[in-house]
Amino acid sequence: MVGMMMPAEETLRATRREWLGLAVIALPCLLYSMDLTVLNLAVPQLSADLKPSAAQLLWIVDIYGFMVAGSLITMGTLGDRIGRRKLLLIGAAAFGLASILAAFSTSAEMLIATRALLGIAGATLAPSTLSLIRNMFLDPQERTFAIGVWISSFSAGGAIGPLVGGVLLEHYWWGSVFLVGVPVMLLLLVLGPLLLPEFKDPDAGRIDLVSAALSLTAVLATIYGIKHMAEHGAGWRAAVAILAGIGLGTVFMRRQRHLADPMLDLRLFRNAVFSASLAINVLGFLFLFGSFLFIAQYLQLVLGLSPLQAGIWGVPSALAFILGSVIVPVVAHRFPPALVMAGGLAFAAAGFAVLTRVEVGGSLAVVVAASVIFSLGFTPVVALTTELIVGSAPPERAGSAAAISETSIEFGGALGIAILGSIVTAVYRSEMAHAVPAGTPVEAARVAAATLGGAVAEAAHLPTEVSGPLLALARDAFVQGMQLSALVAMLGLIVTALAALILLRGAPPTASGATPTKAVSEGAVLH
């Protein structure tokens, strides 16, 4: 009997081609996180060059995330239909071209537009790579390891990004950070056809363009309302935009129930662990992502570090995430996912508690310690929810499940930048509006009141007796906003930890040989 079972077991094992393919898959993932971190470092320089308003600066940073979030479900479904490798290669080519356009943007509006194109192209990367892993690695233990490599590639990109970005910004203009992705995508276009297999759903129906439009416009309308409220205060335009976004999202969900081939397979949400994992992803990333943007600005514009120095001091948090990615699988084999996630989120909340102590003339150690703590604490969420979500889907719907997983991450992260960014912007603008130093030119005061980067750029052209008080005021206003956003993140993560403890209380621990992927696929779900 054992001898008869061996061939079946052997067919589950990945070959050398699959493992080489995994290395190729890691390339766009590495680039994705590099692109995010280097942009944060470039904010001060592009703020001085393009002089964006506060709202434009937030759009520059997170329009990418919102376009990814709004397009992921569409791209995941498209990959199921036309082939995941084909979609990945198309996205890689588009990403490279959009990167070149972004690098040579001449205005804030142009950079926002090119970042939006990058977001649409980027939406092809994550669901394609994750769903390919789901089909390439059939053995549960190998798949768990492969997903760990997939996650680690994002972490490695986060560690490399600040160093590469710092070196580029030390010697070249801010647009150079976008050109990093071009050779990586060219390499993917060469190796992808050779090493990656093609997978698609043989029974896939046609793509519903109406659903694709609804999903994207729902996201953008909601976020436009939030940003408009931050810059101009509560008003009818913000309220109409937010209500329109919610309404469009409702129409989208109802439409999926009546389509023969829905873009979003609502049946996946019947799995309680799947739904709970998505909710925790959204909430967790909401409070995590915004912090990296503000820390990069704090290091350069408040403490006065160079881009390279700021990049170096950002490496410890990335290394903490890599360390956590190694520790979590060991801990997850011994304790229930609810306990592991709740503990990690509580630990991350402690990191944000430390971040509330940041000051204008404070110690660099406070920021570094805070970022290390919340990065280490957040790794259980990333590692465990990804396995639970992807493993719950049948192979032919892997693209859709991966897209939903990535949508929860991207939407939560981009929403966090919007909300926490709006908090910082509101505090900053409020403080700057009441106490502009005497002798500050009207135009300089206007630019300085919009963003901290604008204040630093304008101060460089003013007399010392004016620039000194202006910089002190701007830096103090920014730090006050940063402290409040850290407090909100801390409280939000505590609530999320409690939610994880409650919603995942029935999910079993992952014993050796019974990974989260396998546990869910065998029906170990909450009802």
Side-chain angles (χ1 to χ4, degrees), residues 373-508:
I373 293 171
F374 65 63
S375 294
L376 187 61
F378 201 71
T379 48
V381 176
V382 181
L384 296 183
T385 56
T386 300
E387 284 196 62
L388 291 172
I389 292 169
V390 176
S392 66
E396 69 275 8
R397 302 300 291 170
S400 297
I404 295 171
S405 173
E406 286 302 307
T407 298
S408 69
I409 293 173
E410 294 293 343
F411 183 72
L415 189 62
I417 292 175
I419 293 176
L420 297 182
S422 296
I423 291 173
V424 174
T425 297
V427 173
Y428 181 85
R429 291 172 66 90
S430 175
E431 293 295 318
M432 293 296 290
H434 299 300
V436 177
T440 304
V442 175
E443 179 61 19
R446 184 190 66 79
V447 175
T451 65
L452 177 58
V456 173
E458 290 298 320
H461 305 294
L462 297 175
T464 305
E465 60 271 16
V466 177
S467 64
L470 180 64
L471 276 178
L473 175 65
R475 286 168 173 163
D476 184 66
F478 180 84
V479 169
Q480 286 187 45
M482 189 174 172
Q483 290 170 339
L484 181 58
S485 70
L487 178 61
V488 171
M490 180 194 75
L491 297 175
L493 285 172
I494 292 174
V495 172
T496 306
L498 294 175
L501 203 58
I502 295 171
L503 296 176
L504 294 175
R505 62 185 181 278

Side-chain angles (χ1 to χ4, degrees), residues 91 211 216 229 260 277 285 287 340 352 363 369 383 409 429 438 459 461 481 489:
S211 293
L216 181 59
M229 189 181 299
S277 299
F285 277 97
F287 300 114
V340 177
F352 280 99
S363 171
I409 293 173
R429 291 172 66 90
H461 305 294

